[in-house]
Amino acid sequence: DARVTQTPRHKVTEMGQEVTMRCQPILGHNTVFWYRQTMMQGLELLAYFRNRAPLDDSGMPKDRFSAEMPDATLATLKIQPSEPRDSAVYFCASGLVRGAAFFGQGTRLTVV
Amino acid sequence: DQQVKQNSPSLSVQEGRISILNCDYTNSMFDYFLWYKKYPAEGPTFLISISSIKDKNEDGRFTVFLNKSAKHLSLHIVPSQPGDSAVYFCAASDTGSTLGRLYFGRGTQLTVWP
């Protein structure tokens, strides 16, 4: 059963701490996205990669967020330092060059 | 500025009847449209898509209609089932069928009651 796997599912952290979210895309998928869902903004794109190269990270606050793909089976999203306004559900999605994106179950982040 | 809009936050339909979910967009460069369904505590699940060269695409109980001149699309579910109760997101892309950035609406909560 091919699916996108995200860890952790839930994360509660204190303001100022570093947060790392991980994503294992579906095997063979070469396009990986990070989306964030908030009540205010809905689902918004943070960054995406094709063949591990970043294509668009315009939605990401550059001063505190970073996204990487160390290899084809792992994508990471890091926030340092975290702030209460970063509280949201973070989704990873993957796909092929054509077609739809398939989403993971998300990481619910709470920054207190 | 929201380029994809779902103006109805909720819709309630009786089981067996048709559900019609609507979506409007403002960007004339959008050329590929998708619908996703989302259950609580899960990620969005892809349902159906349509290219701007078509005006209709059907998959089982789900049909998407596209009206480019009105910048409007709709998802029809016939017949509706209680398991269809979920949040439905409309999404659009300006990269054709090449997978790229998706712009999402805020979603419509569909409730199908027995």
Side-chain angles (χ1 to χ4, degrees), chain A residues 3-4 23-33 35 48-52 69 72 92-104, chain B residues 36 97-100 102:
Chain A
R3 59 178 177 172
V4 175
C23 167
Q24 181 177 356
I26 293 172
L27 189 64
H29 282 187
N30 65 348
T31 307
V32 177
F33 301 84
Y35 283 89
Y48 83 99
F49 298 79
R50 178 156 291 132
N51 297 322
R52 296 174 57 200
M69 282 201 72
C92 176
S94 73
L96 298 170
V97 174
R98 297 201 181 279
F102 296 86
F103 284 74
Chain B
Y36 282 83
S97 60
T98 299
L99 183 56
L102 295 177

PDB file of all heavy atoms in Angstrom, chain A residues 3-4 23-33 35 48-52 69 72 92-104, chain B residues 36 97-100 102:
ATOM      1  N   ARG A   3       2.110   4.865   0.202  1.00  0.00           N
ATOM      2  CA  ARG A   3       1.600   6.096   0.792  1.00  0.00           C
ATOM      3  C   ARG A   3       2.756   6.966   1.229  1.00  0.00           C
ATOM      4  O   ARG A   3       3.884   6.503   1.411  1.00  0.00           O
ATOM      5  CB  ARG A   3       0.687   5.789   1.968  1.00  0.00           C
ATOM      6  CG  ARG A   3       1.349   5.004   3.076  1.00  0.00           C
ATOM      7  CD  ARG A   3       0.391   4.787   4.236  1.00  0.00           C
ATOM      8  NE  ARG A   3       0.995   3.966   5.266  1.00  0.00           N
ATOM      9  CZ  ARG A   3       0.452   3.745   6.454  1.00  0.00           C
ATOM     10  NH1 ARG A   3      -0.724   4.271   6.754  1.00  0.00           N
ATOM     11  NH2 ARG A   3       1.059   2.994   7.346  1.00  0.00           N
ATOM     12  N   VAL A   4       2.464   8.250   1.435  1.00  0.00           N
ATOM     13  CA  VAL A   4       3.430   9.193   1.953  1.00  0.00           C
ATOM     14  C   VAL A   4       3.416   9.090   3.477  1.00  0.00           C
ATOM     15  O   VAL A   4       2.347   9.130   4.082  1.00  0.00           O
ATOM     16  CB  VAL A   4       3.081  10.626   1.505  1.00  0.00           C
ATOM     17  CG1 VAL A   4       4.029  11.628   2.142  1.00  0.00           C
ATOM     18  CG2 VAL A   4       3.109  10.731  -0.015  1.00  0.00           C
ATOM     19  N   CYS A  23       9.530  13.407   6.029  1.00  0.00           N
ATOM     20  CA  CYS A  23       8.574  12.876   5.067  1.00  0.00           C
ATOM     21  C   CYS A  23       9.263  11.823   4.211  1.00  0.00           C
ATOM     22  O   CYS A  23      10.364  12.060   3.680  1.00  0.00           O
ATOM     23  CB  CYS A  23       8.044  14.009   4.189  1.00  0.00           C
ATOM     24  SG  CYS A  23       7.131  13.471   2.726  1.00  0.00           S
ATOM     25  N   GLN A  24       8.603  10.683   4.073  1.00  0.00           N
ATOM     26  CA  GLN A  24       9.069   9.663   3.144  1.00  0.00           C
ATOM     27  C   GLN A  24       8.079   9.637   1.981  1.00  0.00           C
ATOM     28  O   GLN A  24       6.929   9.213   2.148  1.00  0.00           O
ATOM     29  CB  GLN A  24       9.135   8.299   3.817  1.00  0.00           C
ATOM     30  CG  GLN A  24       9.633   7.192   2.912  1.00  0.00           C
ATOM     31  CD  GLN A  24       9.755   5.862   3.640  1.00  0.00           C
ATOM     32  OE1 GLN A  24       9.530   5.773   4.846  1.00  0.00           O
ATOM     33  NE2 GLN A  24      10.113   4.829   2.921  1.00  0.00           N
ATOM     34  N   PRO A  25       8.479  10.130   0.807  1.00  0.00           N
ATOM     35  CA  PRO A  25       7.535  10.134  -0.321  1.00  0.00           C
ATOM     36  C   PRO A  25       7.283   8.717  -0.812  1.00  0.00           C
ATOM     37  O   PRO A  25       8.002   7.776  -0.460  1.00  0.00           O
ATOM     38  CB  PRO A  25       8.262  10.967  -1.375  1.00  0.00           C
ATOM     39  CG  PRO A  25       9.703  10.949  -0.997  1.00  0.00           C
ATOM     40  CD  PRO A  25       9.779  10.698   0.468  1.00  0.00           C
ATOM     41  N   ILE A  26       6.270   8.570  -1.639  1.00  0.00           N
ATOM     42  CA  ILE A  26       5.980   7.284  -2.263  1.00  0.00           C
ATOM     43  C   ILE A  26       7.155   6.905  -3.154  1.00  0.00           C
ATOM     44  O   ILE A  26       7.682   7.745  -3.905  1.00  0.00           O
ATOM     45  CB  ILE A  26       4.673   7.353  -3.059  1.00  0.00           C
ATOM     46  CG1 ILE A  26       3.486   7.549  -2.106  1.00  0.00           C
ATOM     47  CG2 ILE A  26       4.468   6.092  -3.902  1.00  0.00           C
ATOM     48  CD1 ILE A  26       2.154   7.812  -2.793  1.00  0.00           C
ATOM     49  N   LEU A  27       7.573   5.652  -3.043  1.00  0.00           N
ATOM     50  CA  LEU A  27       8.726   5.178  -3.805  1.00  0.00           C
ATOM     51  C   LEU A  27       8.532   5.411  -5.300  1.00  0.00           C
ATOM     52  O   LEU A  27       7.505   5.041  -5.874  1.00  0.00           O
ATOM     53  CB  LEU A  27       8.922   3.681  -3.522  1.00  0.00           C
ATOM     54  CG  LEU A  27      10.208   3.052  -4.049  1.00  0.00           C
ATOM     55  CD1 LEU A  27      11.418   3.664  -3.370  1.00  0.00           C
ATOM     56  CD2 LEU A  27      10.184   1.539  -3.842  1.00  0.00           C
ATOM     57  N   GLY A  28       9.524   6.065  -5.896  1.00  0.00           N
ATOM     58  CA  GLY A  28       9.439   6.336  -7.333  1.00  0.00           C
ATOM     59  C   GLY A  28       8.927   7.721  -7.669  1.00  0.00           C
ATOM     60  O   GLY A  28       9.088   8.185  -8.804  1.00  0.00           O
ATOM     61  N   HIS A  29       8.293   8.371  -6.708  1.00  0.00           N
ATOM     62  CA  HIS A  29       7.821   9.735  -6.955  1.00  0.00           C
ATOM     63  C   HIS A  29       9.007  10.700  -6.924  1.00  0.00           C
ATOM     64  O   HIS A  29       9.829  10.656  -6.014  1.00  0.00           O
ATOM     65  CB  HIS A  29       6.788  10.144  -5.907  1.00  0.00           C
ATOM     66  CG  HIS A  29       5.439   9.566  -6.161  1.00  0.00           C
ATOM     67  ND1 HIS A  29       4.322   9.920  -5.418  1.00  0.00           N
ATOM     68  CD2 HIS A  29       5.001   8.677  -7.088  1.00  0.00           C
ATOM     69  CE1 HIS A  29       3.285   9.263  -5.876  1.00  0.00           C
ATOM     70  NE2 HIS A  29       3.661   8.499  -6.883  1.00  0.00           N
ATOM     71  N   ASN A  30       9.049  11.608  -7.908  1.00  0.00           N
ATOM     72  CA  ASN A  30      10.194  12.508  -7.990  1.00  0.00           C
ATOM     73  C   ASN A  30       9.841  13.955  -7.683  1.00  0.00           C
ATOM     74  O   ASN A  30      10.681  14.845  -7.809  1.00  0.00           O
ATOM     75  CB  ASN A  30      10.829  12.432  -9.383  1.00  0.00           C
ATOM     76  CG  ASN A  30       9.908  12.922 -10.478  1.00  0.00           C
ATOM     77  OD1 ASN A  30       8.719  13.118 -10.256  1.00  0.00           O
ATOM     78  ND2 ASN A  30      10.460  13.131 -11.649  1.00  0.00           N
ATOM     79  N   THR A  31       8.581  14.198  -7.308  1.00  0.00           N
ATOM     80  CA  THR A  31       8.152  15.555  -6.975  1.00  0.00           C
ATOM     81  C   THR A  31       7.601  15.541  -5.554  1.00  0.00           C
ATOM     82  O   THR A  31       6.716  14.739  -5.237  1.00  0.00           O
ATOM     83  CB  THR A  31       7.079  16.053  -7.962  1.00  0.00           C
ATOM     84  OG1 THR A  31       7.568  15.887  -9.291  1.00  0.00           O
ATOM     85  CG2 THR A  31       6.769  17.521  -7.733  1.00  0.00           C
ATOM     86  N   VAL A  32       8.135  16.398  -4.717  1.00  0.00           N
ATOM     87  CA  VAL A  32       7.763  16.408  -3.298  1.00  0.00           C
ATOM     88  C   VAL A  32       7.406  17.827  -2.883  1.00  0.00           C
ATOM     89  O   VAL A  32       8.117  18.773  -3.219  1.00  0.00           O
ATOM     90  CB  VAL A  32       8.919  15.887  -2.421  1.00  0.00           C
ATOM     91  CG1 VAL A  32       8.546  15.973  -0.929  1.00  0.00           C
ATOM     92  CG2 VAL A  32       9.257  14.439  -2.787  1.00  0.00           C
ATOM     93  N   PHE A  33       6.284  17.933  -2.161  1.00  0.00           N
ATOM     94  CA  PHE A  33       5.774  19.232  -1.722  1.00  0.00           C
ATOM     95  C   PHE A  33       5.688  19.292  -0.198  1.00  0.00           C
ATOM     96  O   PHE A  33       5.451  18.284   0.464  1.00  0.00           O
ATOM     97  CB  PHE A  33       4.339  19.451  -2.236  1.00  0.00           C
ATOM     98  CG  PHE A  33       4.177  19.405  -3.711  1.00  0.00           C
ATOM     99  CD1 PHE A  33       4.023  18.187  -4.371  1.00  0.00           C
ATOM    100  CD2 PHE A  33       4.149  20.565  -4.456  1.00  0.00           C
ATOM    101  CE1 PHE A  33       3.845  18.141  -5.748  1.00  0.00           C
ATOM    102  CE2 PHE A  33       3.972  20.528  -5.832  1.00  0.00           C
ATOM    103  CZ  PHE A  33       3.821  19.310  -6.473  1.00  0.00           C
ATOM    104  N   TYR A  35       3.183  21.519   2.251  1.00  0.00           N
ATOM    105  CA  TYR A  35       2.073  22.449   2.401  1.00  0.00           C
ATOM    106  C   TYR A  35       1.803  22.655   3.891  1.00  0.00           C
ATOM    107  O   TYR A  35       2.075  21.798   4.711  1.00  0.00           O
ATOM    108  CB  TYR A  35       0.789  21.909   1.755  1.00  0.00           C
ATOM    109  CG  TYR A  35       0.741  22.005   0.256  1.00  0.00           C
ATOM    110  CD1 TYR A  35       1.229  20.972  -0.555  1.00  0.00           C
ATOM    111  CD2 TYR A  35       0.192  23.124  -0.378  1.00  0.00           C
ATOM    112  CE1 TYR A  35       1.169  21.062  -1.938  1.00  0.00           C
ATOM    113  CE2 TYR A  35       0.137  23.223  -1.754  1.00  0.00           C
ATOM    114  CZ  TYR A  35       0.635  22.175  -2.526  1.00  0.00           C
ATOM    115  OH  TYR A  35       0.579  22.263  -3.895  1.00  0.00           O
ATOM    116  N   TYR A  48       8.582  23.133  -2.902  1.00  0.00           N
ATOM    117  CA  TYR A  48       8.536  21.833  -3.543  1.00  0.00           C
ATOM    118  C   TYR A  48       9.798  21.552  -4.333  1.00  0.00           C
ATOM    119  O   TYR A  48      10.533  22.457  -4.717  1.00  0.00           O
ATOM    120  CB  TYR A  48       7.257  21.627  -4.352  1.00  0.00           C
ATOM    121  CG  TYR A  48       7.188  22.170  -5.757  1.00  0.00           C
ATOM    122  CD1 TYR A  48       7.419  21.339  -6.854  1.00  0.00           C
ATOM    123  CD2 TYR A  48       6.777  23.474  -5.990  1.00  0.00           C
ATOM    124  CE1 TYR A  48       7.267  21.805  -8.143  1.00  0.00           C
ATOM    125  CE2 TYR A  48       6.629  23.942  -7.282  1.00  0.00           C
ATOM    126  CZ  TYR A  48       6.868  23.112  -8.361  1.00  0.00           C
ATOM    127  OH  TYR A  48       6.708  23.574  -9.649  1.00  0.00           O
ATOM    128  N   PHE A  49      10.022  20.264  -4.520  1.00  0.00           N
ATOM    129  CA  PHE A  49      11.239  19.739  -5.136  1.00  0.00           C
ATOM    130  C   PHE A  49      10.874  18.823  -6.299  1.00  0.00           C
ATOM    131  O   PHE A  49       9.842  18.153  -6.282  1.00  0.00           O
ATOM    132  CB  PHE A  49      12.019  18.874  -4.123  1.00  0.00           C
ATOM    133  CG  PHE A  49      12.505  19.605  -2.909  1.00  0.00           C
ATOM    134  CD1 PHE A  49      11.639  19.895  -1.864  1.00  0.00           C
ATOM    135  CD2 PHE A  49      13.824  19.993  -2.799  1.00  0.00           C
ATOM    136  CE1 PHE A  49      12.082  20.570  -0.733  1.00  0.00           C
ATOM    137  CE2 PHE A  49      14.282  20.655  -1.675  1.00  0.00           C
ATOM    138  CZ  PHE A  49      13.411  20.940  -0.638  1.00  0.00           C
ATOM    139  N   ARG A  50      11.750  18.817  -7.272  1.00  0.00           N
ATOM    140  CA  ARG A  50      11.664  17.810  -8.333  1.00  0.00           C
ATOM    141  C   ARG A  50      13.052  17.215  -8.478  1.00  0.00           C
ATOM    142  O   ARG A  50      14.032  17.953  -8.625  1.00  0.00           O
ATOM    143  CB  ARG A  50      11.167  18.386  -9.646  1.00  0.00           C
ATOM    144  CG  ARG A  50      11.132  17.337 -10.772  1.00  0.00           C
ATOM    145  CD  ARG A  50      10.155  17.674 -11.875  1.00  0.00           C
ATOM    146  NE  ARG A  50       8.787  17.582 -11.416  1.00  0.00           N
ATOM    147  CZ  ARG A  50       7.871  18.527 -11.627  1.00  0.00           C
ATOM    148  NH1 ARG A  50       8.171  19.629 -12.269  1.00  0.00           N
ATOM    149  NH2 ARG A  50       6.646  18.366 -11.172  1.00  0.00           N
ATOM    150  N   ASN A  51      13.093  15.869  -8.444  1.00  0.00           N
ATOM    151  CA  ASN A  51      14.391  15.175  -8.510  1.00  0.00           C
ATOM    152  C   ASN A  51      15.365  15.752  -7.480  1.00  0.00           C
ATOM    153  O   ASN A  51      16.550  15.953  -7.774  1.00  0.00           O
ATOM    154  CB  ASN A  51      14.972  15.249  -9.915  1.00  0.00           C
ATOM    155  CG  ASN A  51      14.098  14.553 -10.938  1.00  0.00           C
ATOM    156  OD1 ASN A  51      13.515  13.502 -10.654  1.00  0.00           O
ATOM    157  ND2 ASN A  51      13.975  15.144 -12.114  1.00  0.00           N
ATOM    158  N   ARG A  52      14.820  16.061  -6.309  1.00  0.00           N
ATOM    159  CA  ARG A  52      15.558  16.543  -5.134  1.00  0.00           C
ATOM    160  C   ARG A  52      16.023  17.987  -5.249  1.00  0.00           C
ATOM    161  O   ARG A  52      16.581  18.538  -4.298  1.00  0.00           O
ATOM    162  CB  ARG A  52      16.756  15.640  -4.829  1.00  0.00           C
ATOM    163  CG  ARG A  52      16.384  14.224  -4.442  1.00  0.00           C
ATOM    164  CD  ARG A  52      17.621  13.359  -4.292  1.00  0.00           C
ATOM    165  NE  ARG A  52      18.535  13.944  -3.314  1.00  0.00           N
ATOM    166  CZ  ARG A  52      19.834  13.650  -3.246  1.00  0.00           C
ATOM    167  NH1 ARG A  52      20.369  12.807  -4.095  1.00  0.00           N
ATOM    168  NH2 ARG A  52      20.601  14.205  -2.316  1.00  0.00           N
ATOM    169  N   MET A  69      16.072  17.831   0.738  1.00  0.00           N
ATOM    170  CA  MET A  69      15.891  16.417   0.405  1.00  0.00           C
ATOM    171  C   MET A  69      17.255  15.764   0.405  1.00  0.00           C
ATOM    172  O   MET A  69      17.943  15.752  -0.636  1.00  0.00           O
ATOM    173  CB  MET A  69      15.219  16.255  -0.954  1.00  0.00           C
ATOM    174  CG  MET A  69      13.732  16.496  -0.911  1.00  0.00           C
ATOM    175  SD  MET A  69      12.873  15.733  -2.291  1.00  0.00           S
ATOM    176  CE  MET A  69      12.959  13.988  -1.878  1.00  0.00           C
ATOM    177  N   ALA A  72      16.443  10.658  -2.114  1.00  0.00           N
ATOM    178  CA  ALA A  72      15.144  10.544  -2.790  1.00  0.00           C
ATOM    179  C   ALA A  72      14.057   9.980  -1.892  1.00  0.00           C
ATOM    180  O   ALA A  72      12.878  10.053  -2.221  1.00  0.00           O
ATOM    181  CB  ALA A  72      15.284   9.677  -4.045  1.00  0.00           C
ATOM    182  N   CYS A  92       3.093  16.845   3.799  1.00  0.00           N
ATOM    183  CA  CYS A  92       3.995  16.501   2.717  1.00  0.00           C
ATOM    184  C   CYS A  92       3.172  15.789   1.659  1.00  0.00           C
ATOM    185  O   CYS A  92       2.216  15.057   1.983  1.00  0.00           O
ATOM    186  CB  CYS A  92       5.107  15.590   3.239  1.00  0.00           C
ATOM    187  SG  CYS A  92       6.249  14.990   1.992  1.00  0.00           S
ATOM    188  N   ALA A  93       3.499  16.012   0.405  1.00  0.00           N
ATOM    189  CA  ALA A  93       2.814  15.328  -0.690  1.00  0.00           C
ATOM    190  C   ALA A  93       3.860  14.948  -1.731  1.00  0.00           C
ATOM    191  O   ALA A  93       4.896  15.610  -1.860  1.00  0.00           O
ATOM    192  CB  ALA A  93       1.740  16.221  -1.310  1.00  0.00           C
ATOM    193  N   SER A  94       3.580  13.884  -2.470  1.00  0.00           N
ATOM    194  CA  SER A  94       4.505  13.499  -3.528  1.00  0.00           C
ATOM    195  C   SER A  94       3.738  13.087  -4.771  1.00  0.00           C
ATOM    196  O   SER A  94       2.534  12.776  -4.714  1.00  0.00           O
ATOM    197  CB  SER A  94       5.438  12.369  -3.073  1.00  0.00           C
ATOM    198  OG  SER A  94       4.769  11.123  -2.981  1.00  0.00           O
ATOM    199  N   GLY A  95       4.436  13.091  -5.887  1.00  0.00           N
ATOM    200  CA  GLY A  95       3.821  12.697  -7.144  1.00  0.00           C
ATOM    201  C   GLY A  95       4.871  12.505  -8.216  1.00  0.00           C
ATOM    202  O   GLY A  95       6.073  12.695  -7.974  1.00  0.00           O
ATOM    203  N   LEU A  96       4.394  12.129  -9.386  1.00  0.00           N
ATOM    204  CA  LEU A  96       5.260  12.014 -10.549  1.00  0.00           C
ATOM    205  C   LEU A  96       5.219  13.328 -11.333  1.00  0.00           C
ATOM    206  O   LEU A  96       4.541  14.273 -10.919  1.00  0.00           O
ATOM    207  CB  LEU A  96       4.785  10.842 -11.411  1.00  0.00           C
ATOM    208  CG  LEU A  96       4.856   9.480 -10.711  1.00  0.00           C
ATOM    209  CD1 LEU A  96       4.145   8.418 -11.527  1.00  0.00           C
ATOM    210  CD2 LEU A  96       6.297   9.094 -10.457  1.00  0.00           C
ATOM    211  N   VAL A  97       5.878  13.377 -12.445  1.00  0.00           N
ATOM    212  CA  VAL A  97       5.916  14.607 -13.217  1.00  0.00           C
ATOM    213  C   VAL A  97       4.516  15.000 -13.691  1.00  0.00           C
ATOM    214  O   VAL A  97       4.164  16.174 -13.734  1.00  0.00           O
ATOM    215  CB  VAL A  97       6.862  14.467 -14.430  1.00  0.00           C
ATOM    216  CG1 VAL A  97       6.795  15.707 -15.322  1.00  0.00           C
ATOM    217  CG2 VAL A  97       8.284  14.252 -13.944  1.00  0.00           C
ATOM    218  N   ARG A  98       3.699  13.981 -13.997  1.00  0.00           N
ATOM    219  CA  ARG A  98       2.327  14.272 -14.427  1.00  0.00           C
ATOM    220  C   ARG A  98       1.332  13.650 -13.458  1.00  0.00           C
ATOM    221  O   ARG A  98       1.596  12.609 -12.880  1.00  0.00           O
ATOM    222  CB  ARG A  98       2.089  13.737 -15.832  1.00  0.00           C
ATOM    223  CG  ARG A  98       2.972  14.389 -16.864  1.00  0.00           C
ATOM    224  CD  ARG A  98       2.422  14.255 -18.271  1.00  0.00           C
ATOM    225  NE  ARG A  98       3.314  14.883 -19.234  1.00  0.00           N
ATOM    226  CZ  ARG A  98       3.331  16.188 -19.470  1.00  0.00           C
ATOM    227  NH1 ARG A  98       2.522  16.976 -18.826  1.00  0.00           N
ATOM    228  NH2 ARG A  98       4.170  16.687 -20.347  1.00  0.00           N
ATOM    229  N   GLY A  99       0.198  14.295 -13.307  1.00  0.00           N
ATOM    230  CA  GLY A  99      -0.852  13.732 -12.471  1.00  0.00           C
ATOM    231  C   GLY A  99      -1.031  14.486 -11.175  1.00  0.00           C
ATOM    232  O   GLY A  99      -0.655  15.646 -11.056  1.00  0.00           O
ATOM    233  N   ALA A 100      -1.617  13.796 -10.215  1.00  0.00           N
ATOM    234  CA  ALA A 100      -1.978  14.431  -8.951  1.00  0.00           C
ATOM    235  C   ALA A 100      -0.892  14.260  -7.902  1.00  0.00           C
ATOM    236  O   ALA A 100       0.002  13.419  -8.034  1.00  0.00           O
ATOM    237  CB  ALA A 100      -3.287  13.838  -8.429  1.00  0.00           C
ATOM    238  N   ALA A 101      -0.986  15.078  -6.878  1.00  0.00           N
ATOM    239  CA  ALA A 101      -0.129  14.942  -5.707  1.00  0.00           C
ATOM    240  C   ALA A 101      -0.849  14.102  -4.670  1.00  0.00           C
ATOM    241  O   ALA A 101      -2.062  14.238  -4.481  1.00  0.00           O
ATOM    242  CB  ALA A 101       0.202  16.315  -5.139  1.00  0.00           C
ATOM    243  N   PHE A 102      -0.102  13.233  -3.982  1.00  0.00           N
ATOM    244  CA  PHE A 102      -0.656  12.355  -2.957  1.00  0.00           C
ATOM    245  C   PHE A 102      -0.104  12.807  -1.604  1.00  0.00           C
ATOM    246  O   PHE A 102       1.106  12.910  -1.427  1.00  0.00           O
ATOM    247  CB  PHE A 102      -0.298  10.903  -3.250  1.00  0.00           C
ATOM    248  CG  PHE A 102      -0.917  10.419  -4.529  1.00  0.00           C
ATOM    249  CD1 PHE A 102      -0.285  10.615  -5.749  1.00  0.00           C
ATOM    250  CD2 PHE A 102      -2.153   9.792  -4.526  1.00  0.00           C
ATOM    251  CE1 PHE A 102      -0.862  10.201  -6.944  1.00  0.00           C
ATOM    252  CE2 PHE A 102      -2.736   9.369  -5.710  1.00  0.00           C
ATOM    253  CZ  PHE A 102      -2.091   9.575  -6.916  1.00  0.00           C
ATOM    254  N   PHE A 103      -1.019  13.034  -0.673  1.00  0.00           N
ATOM    255  CA  PHE A 103      -0.661  13.638   0.597  1.00  0.00           C
ATOM    256  C   PHE A 103      -0.440  12.617   1.709  1.00  0.00           C
ATOM    257  O   PHE A 103      -1.101  11.577   1.748  1.00  0.00           O
ATOM    258  CB  PHE A 103      -1.776  14.602   1.050  1.00  0.00           C
ATOM    259  CG  PHE A 103      -1.787  15.905   0.308  1.00  0.00           C
ATOM    260  CD1 PHE A 103      -2.246  15.977  -0.992  1.00  0.00           C
ATOM    261  CD2 PHE A 103      -1.330  17.061   0.924  1.00  0.00           C
ATOM    262  CE1 PHE A 103      -2.257  17.184  -1.680  1.00  0.00           C
ATOM    263  CE2 PHE A 103      -1.336  18.269   0.252  1.00  0.00           C
ATOM    264  CZ  PHE A 103      -1.796  18.331  -1.053  1.00  0.00           C
ATOM    265  N   GLY A 104       0.461  12.976   2.614  1.00  0.00           N
ATOM    266  CA  GLY A 104       0.611  12.234   3.857  1.00  0.00           C
ATOM    267  C   GLY A 104      -0.444  12.661   4.861  1.00  0.00           C
ATOM    268  O   GLY A 104      -1.301  13.505   4.564  1.00  0.00           O
TER     269      GLY A 104
ATOM    270  N   TYR B  36     -10.007  17.323  -4.131  1.00  0.00           N
ATOM    271  CA  TYR B  36      -9.502  16.455  -3.073  1.00  0.00           C
ATOM    272  C   TYR B  36     -10.564  16.341  -1.998  1.00  0.00           C
ATOM    273  O   TYR B  36     -11.333  17.269  -1.751  1.00  0.00           O
ATOM    274  CB  TYR B  36      -8.226  17.033  -2.450  1.00  0.00           C
ATOM    275  CG  TYR B  36      -6.974  16.836  -3.261  1.00  0.00           C
ATOM    276  CD1 TYR B  36      -6.656  17.704  -4.307  1.00  0.00           C
ATOM    277  CD2 TYR B  36      -6.101  15.798  -2.982  1.00  0.00           C
ATOM    278  CE1 TYR B  36      -5.505  17.528  -5.047  1.00  0.00           C
ATOM    279  CE2 TYR B  36      -4.936  15.615  -3.709  1.00  0.00           C
ATOM    280  CZ  TYR B  36      -4.645  16.483  -4.742  1.00  0.00           C
ATOM    281  OH  TYR B  36      -3.490  16.295  -5.474  1.00  0.00           O
ATOM    282  N   SER B  97      -0.894  19.454 -17.005  1.00  0.00           N
ATOM    283  CA  SER B  97      -0.905  18.180 -16.278  1.00  0.00           C
ATOM    284  C   SER B  97       0.458  17.885 -15.660  1.00  0.00           C
ATOM    285  O   SER B  97       0.623  16.903 -14.945  1.00  0.00           O
ATOM    286  CB  SER B  97      -1.314  17.042 -17.205  1.00  0.00           C
ATOM    287  OG  SER B  97      -0.416  16.948 -18.281  1.00  0.00           O
ATOM    288  N   THR B  98       1.451  18.745 -15.918  1.00  0.00           N
ATOM    289  CA  THR B  98       2.738  18.622 -15.227  1.00  0.00           C
ATOM    290  C   THR B  98       2.539  19.029 -13.780  1.00  0.00           C
ATOM    291  O   THR B  98       2.018  20.109 -13.501  1.00  0.00           O
ATOM    292  CB  THR B  98       3.797  19.528 -15.864  1.00  0.00           C
ATOM    293  OG1 THR B  98       3.984  19.149 -17.227  1.00  0.00           O
ATOM    294  CG2 THR B  98       5.130  19.407 -15.125  1.00  0.00           C
ATOM    295  N   LEU B  99       2.908  18.157 -12.874  1.00  0.00           N
ATOM    296  CA  LEU B  99       2.647  18.401 -11.463  1.00  0.00           C
ATOM    297  C   LEU B  99       3.461  19.579 -10.957  1.00  0.00           C
ATOM    298  O   LEU B  99       4.689  19.584 -11.016  1.00  0.00           O
ATOM    299  CB  LEU B  99       2.987  17.139 -10.667  1.00  0.00           C
ATOM    300  CG  LEU B  99       2.701  17.179  -9.167  1.00  0.00           C
ATOM    301  CD1 LEU B  99       1.245  17.509  -8.892  1.00  0.00           C
ATOM    302  CD2 LEU B  99       3.069  15.843  -8.537  1.00  0.00           C
ATOM    303  N   GLY B 100       2.755  20.582 -10.483  1.00  0.00           N
ATOM    304  CA  GLY B 100       3.407  21.765  -9.939  1.00  0.00           C
ATOM    305  C   GLY B 100       2.626  22.290  -8.774  1.00  0.00           C
ATOM    306  O   GLY B 100       1.806  21.584  -8.177  1.00  0.00           O
ATOM    307  N   LEU B 102      -0.016  23.731  -6.464  1.00  0.00           N
ATOM    308  CA  LEU B 102      -1.470  23.734  -6.444  1.00  0.00           C
ATOM    309  C   LEU B 102      -1.956  24.880  -5.577  1.00  0.00           C
ATOM    310  O   LEU B 102      -1.431  25.118  -4.495  1.00  0.00           O
ATOM    311  CB  LEU B 102      -2.013  22.410  -5.900  1.00  0.00           C
ATOM    312  CG  LEU B 102      -1.742  21.158  -6.728  1.00  0.00           C
ATOM    313  CD1 LEU B 102      -2.285  19.925  -6.016  1.00  0.00           C
ATOM    314  CD2 LEU B 102      -2.355  21.283  -8.110  1.00  0.00           C
TER     315      LEU B 102
END
